[in-house]
C-alpha cells in the first residue's frame, strides 16, 4: 500500500506482534553532512503531533565530511535507513537541505532547502572548473544551488520544489537555470526566523556565555575552504591560527572583552573535534570558548558586540540583525558577484592585520549604524517570521493531506545555553594603577598572554597571576599571585584556608594565593598569613557589576605591594576594570 508504514517492533514479551498505523505517510529527511542536517533540524518540529506522518532519516554518503553524521542521526531518535534501502523505498515526501549524491534515484517528491543564507558560493562539480582548450583559462565554477549542474538531471528539474528565501534568489535562478524556475517556492528562512524570535533574550544569552557588564563579546566566525578565515593563508585569508587568536589574548584586556569562536561544521568534523581543540589549545587556555557547530552559534551571534568573520552565512546573519562585522577574509572569486553575501563584502569594513586589533574592534562598535546593513537584512528573507507556516503548507500540499487544523505551525525556540564563562589557565599579565588611597581605588587591566608585555604608560606596577592548573608548571615558581577556581569547598583540594596555606608554603616566591569559589567572591591569603574574603557588592544604585574575582585579588595584591596595609583596605576597595567600577568588601576570615 503506497504511503503506508509498517513497523515491526517488540511489544512486551511478544516480540513478533505487529504495531501498524496504516494511514501514516512516509517523509524522508535526507542528510549529506552535519551542515545540511542543521537546517533539517530547524524544520523537524513542523511535523510534531501529527500521527499521520512517519519520519525517517538517511545519509547519501556523498559528502567528504561524514564524521559526526552517525551520532547526529542517532540523536534524532528517528529510524535511520541505509542509503541503499532509502533509494528502494517509496516516500510521499523527501526533504533535503543540499544537493549531491543520487537524489534523482529517490522514489517520491523531493523538496530542496538551502542550508545557509540562500545560494552564494561557486563550487566545482565533476563537469566544471576545467580549462578550455582554446584559451587555457579556467571557466568559472557554477553557483551552488542555482545552476543546471546542481538543479537538473537529464535536462529536467531534480526537485518538485526548490525553496528560496527571497525573490533575488529567484531572479538569479531564472537567469542561471530557467528550466528549474517553475519549481521555485518562496518560503522564508527558518534559521533566520529562530534568530529573530530570540533577539529579546540577548542579555540572557550574554550571561550564559559569561559576559559581564562592561565587557564586549567578540565572535570569531569562519566557514570552510582554503580562503576562509580559518584557511591556510591563500589570497584573501590571514590564517586564523598563527595570527588572529594569539592577538586576541595579547591585545584585548580579559575583563573588558570576551571571545568565542564559531567554526563551520565541515571544519569541526573534517579535521576532528579533538584536533580542532588541540590546534586552538593556546587560545582556549587564554579564555577562548569554542561554540558547538550544531547548537549555540545562533545564541552567540545574538549576544555578540562584534563579529570577526568571512564570507560565511554566519557573518551575513550577524549583519542582518544589526551586529557590527569586520571581515578578516573575503575571497570575492568564490562568490556569485550578484549575491547578497558578495554585497556584504563590498559594504563591510576589512580587518587589517597591520593595525591594532582592539582599535579596529572598538571603532567598528562605536561607529556602527544598525541601519548600515538594512538592505542586506531585507534580502535575508522576504517573509520574516513566516517560514514555519509557508514550509508546512508546502510540505503537506506535496504529501497530499491537509495541514493539522488545530494548531499553528511553529519552530523550536532557541534554548538558553548552559552557563559557560571564560576559563583561563594561561598565565595572566596584570597591570595596576592606584587611583585613590582614601578611599582605596585600584585600576586593574589583565592580559592572558604573559609573554607579551602590554603598553600602558599610566600603570604603576605589573605582576603575573598564574592558574594552579597551568600547563607550564614552571610558571608557578615566578607567579606573584596563584589562582584556583572551585565550586565551594572542593574536597580534592580542601577548603580555602587549607589550599591557600599549602600554596604559599609550596611556592615561596608567591605573594598571594586566591581561591575563587563563586562568581562574586574569592578567599585570599597573603604572605603574612592573613586570610581575607573579597566579595563584590552592590553600588549606590543597588547593582553589582561582577567580573572575574581573580581581578579583585590582583587589586589587593597591588594595594599591599604598594606599601599599604590590609587594615587600610577595610572595609572595602573599589576595583576598576575598563570603565566599570566594582565595590569589593574586604573582610578578615577566622
Amino acid at each position: 500500500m503506497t504511503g503506508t508504514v509498517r513497523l515491526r517492533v517488540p511489544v512486551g514479551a511478544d516480540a513478533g506482534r505487529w504495531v501498524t498505523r496504516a494511514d501514516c505517510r512516509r517523509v524522508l529527511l535526507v542528510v549529506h553532512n552535519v551542515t545540511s542536517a542543521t537546517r533539517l533540524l530547524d524544520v523537524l518540529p513542523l511535523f510534531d503531533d501529527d500521527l499521520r506522518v512517519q519520519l525517517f532519516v538517511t545519509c547519501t554518503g556523498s559528502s567528504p565530511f561524514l564524521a559526526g553524521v552517525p551520532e547526529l542521526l542517532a540523536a534524532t531518535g528517528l529510524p535511520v535507513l541505509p542509503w541503499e534501502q532509502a533509494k528502494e523505498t517509496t516516500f510521499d515526501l523527501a526533504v533535503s537541505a543540499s544537493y549531491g549524491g543520487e537524489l534523482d534515484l529517490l522514489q517520491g517528491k523531493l523538496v530542496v532547502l538551502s542550508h545557509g543564507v540562500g545560494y552564494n558560493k561557486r563550487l566545482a562539480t565533476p563537469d566544471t572548473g576545467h580549462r578550455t582548450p582554446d584559451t587555457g583559462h579556467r571557466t568559472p565554477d557554477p553557483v551552488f544551488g542555482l545552476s543546471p549542474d546542481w538543479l537538473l538531471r537529464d535536462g529536467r528539474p531534480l526537485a518538485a520544489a526548490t525553496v528560496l528565501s527571497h525573490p533575488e534568489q529567484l531572479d538569479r535562478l531564472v537567469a542561471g537555470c530557467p528550466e528549474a524556475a517553475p519549481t521555485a517556492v518562496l518560503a522564508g528562512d527558518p534559521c533566520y526566523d529562530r534568530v529573530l524570535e530570540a533577539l529579546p533574550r540577548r542579555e540572557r544569552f550574554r550571561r550564559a556565555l559569561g559576559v559581564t557588564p562592561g565587557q564586549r563579546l567578540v565572535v570569531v566566525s569562519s566557514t570552510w575552504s582554503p580562503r576562509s578565515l580559518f584557511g591556510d593563508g591563500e589570497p584573501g585569508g590571514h590564517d586564523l591560527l598563527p595570527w588572529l587568536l594569539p592577538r586576541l589574548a595579547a591585545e584585548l584586556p580579559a575583563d573588558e572583552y570576551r571571545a568565542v569562536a564559531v567554526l563551520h561544521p565541515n571544519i569541526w568534523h573534517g579535521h576532528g573535534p579533538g584536533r580542532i581543540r588541540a590546534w586552538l589549545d593556546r587560545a582556549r587556555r587564554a579564555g577562548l570558548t569554542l561554540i558547538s557547530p550544531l547548537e549555540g552559534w545562533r545564541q552567540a551571534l545574538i549576544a555578540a558586540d562584534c563579529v570577526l568573520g568571512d564570507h560565511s552565512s554566519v557573518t551575513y546573519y550577524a549583519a542582518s540583525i544589526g551586529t557590527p562585522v569586520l571581515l578578516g577574509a573575503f575571497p570575492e572569486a568564490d562568490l556569485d558577484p550578484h549575491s547578497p553575501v558578495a554585497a556584504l563584502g563590498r559594504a563591510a569594513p576589512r580587518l587589517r592585520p597591520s593595525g591594532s586589533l582592539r582599535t579596529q574592534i572598538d571603532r567598528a562598535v562605536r561607529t556602527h549604524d544598525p541601519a548600515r546593513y538594512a538592505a542586506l537584512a531585507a534580502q535575508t528573507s522576504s517573509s520574516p517570521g513566516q517560514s514555519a507556516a509557508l514550509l508546512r503548507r508546502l510540505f503537506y500540499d506535496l504529501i497530499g493531506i491537509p495541514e493539522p487544523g488545530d494548531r499553528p505551525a511553529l519552530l523550536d525556540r532557541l534554548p538558553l545555553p548552559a552557563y559557560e564563562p571564560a576559563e583561563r589557565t594561561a598565565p595572566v599579565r596584570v597591570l595596576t594603577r592606584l587611583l585613590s588611597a582614601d578611599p582605596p581605588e585600584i585600576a586593574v587591566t589583565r592580559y592572558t598572554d604573559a609573554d607579551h608585555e602590554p603598553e600602558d604608560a599610566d600603570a604603576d606596577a605589573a605582576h603575573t597571576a598564574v592558574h594552579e592548573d597551568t600547563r607550564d608548571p614552571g610558571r608557578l615558581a615566578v607567579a606573584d599571585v596563584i589562582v584556583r577556581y572551585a565550586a565551594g569547598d572542593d574536597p580534592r583540594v580542601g577548603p580555602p584556608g587549607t589550599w591557600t596555606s599549602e600554596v604559599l608554603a609550596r611556592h615561596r616566591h608567591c605573594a598571594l594565593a586566591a581561591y575563587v569559589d563563586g562568581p562574586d567572591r574569592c578567599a585570599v591569603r597573603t604572605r603574612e598569613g592573613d586570610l581575607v574574603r573579597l566579595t563584590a557588592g552592590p553600588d549606590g544604585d543597588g547593582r553589582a557589576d561582577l567580573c572575574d574575582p581573580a581581578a579583585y585579588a590582583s587589586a589587593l595584591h597591588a594595594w599591599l605591594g604598594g606599601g599599604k596595609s590590609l587594615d587600610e583596605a577595610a572595609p572595602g576597595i573599589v576595583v576598576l576594570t575598563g570603565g566599570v567600577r566594582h565595590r569589593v568588601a574586604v573582610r578578615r576570615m577566622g
Side-chain angles (χ1 to χ4, degrees), residues 120-347:
N120 307 280
K121 295 182 180 180
R122 296 186 182 276
L123 293 181
T125 69
D127 299 323
T128 62
H130 62 277
R131 296 187 181 277
T132 57
D134 54 334
T135 66
H137 294 300
R138 189 179 187 276
T139 59
D141 292 327
V143 178
F144 177 74
L146 295 181
S147 67
D149 308 80
W150 304 100
L151 293 166
L152 305 181
R153 290 294 187 275
D154 299 325
R156 294 182 299 178
L158 175 66
T162 302
V163 175
L164 306 176
S165 61
H166 193 275
E168 70 82 19
Q169 296 162 27
L170 178 58
D171 293 341
R172 290 189 287 131
L173 175 63
V174 170
C177 186
E179 300 90 338
T183 70
V185 178
L186 292 173
D189 184 328
C191 175
Y192 186 53
D193 284 353
R194 294 181 73 192
V195 170
L196 293 178
E197 189 280 330
L199 288 177
R201 287 177 283 155
R202 180 175 188 267
E203 290 303 319
R204 290 189 180 181
F205 296 155
R206 288 173 66 83
R207 289 194 292 268
L209 288 168
V211 181
T212 60
Q215 272 191 324
R216 284 179 170 167
L217 174 62
V218 178
V219 175
V220 180
S221 170
S222 178
T223 188
W224 66 284
S225 82
R227 290 179 290 273
S228 68
L229 191 59
F230 200 87
D232 59 9
E234 291 191 22
H238 298 313
D239 206 345
L240 176 68
L241 289 174
W243 173 73
L244 181 57
L245 294 182
R247 285 184 57 179
L248 286 176
E251 297 186 29
L252 303 184
D255 298 304
E256 300 172 47
Y257 298 85
R258 171 84 168 95
V260 302
V262 175
L263 303 181
H264 192 281
N266 287 356
I267 296 176
W268 192 263
H269 292 288
H271 295 288
R275 196 67 201 135
I276 294 298
R277 294 188 184 98
W279 276 343
L280 303 185
D281 177 69
R282 179 182 174 187
R284 292 170 59 225
R285 287 185 284 115
L288 179 78
T289 297
L290 295 178
I291 302 297
S292 165
L294 268 182
E295 293 293 341
W297 66 267
R298 284 166 284 213
Q299 294 91 323
L301 280 192
I302 293 170
D305 292 292
C306 185
V307 172
L308 311 183
D310 53 17
H311 58 303
S312 69
S313 292
V314 173
T315 308
Y316 192 93
Y317 281 130
S320 295
I321 60 175
T323 303
V325 299
L326 284 170
L327 300 178
F330 205 86
E332 290 88 349
D334 291 0
L335 298 168
D336 179 355
H338 304 293
S339 68
V341 172
L344 174 64
R346 295 187 289 268

Side-chain angles (χ1 to χ4, degrees), residues 391-404:
L391 286 171
R392 191 175 77 170
R393 184 183 310 154
L394 170 65
F395 293 159
Y396 277 82
D397 283 348
L398 291 174
I399 293 172
I401 58 177
E403 290 184 72

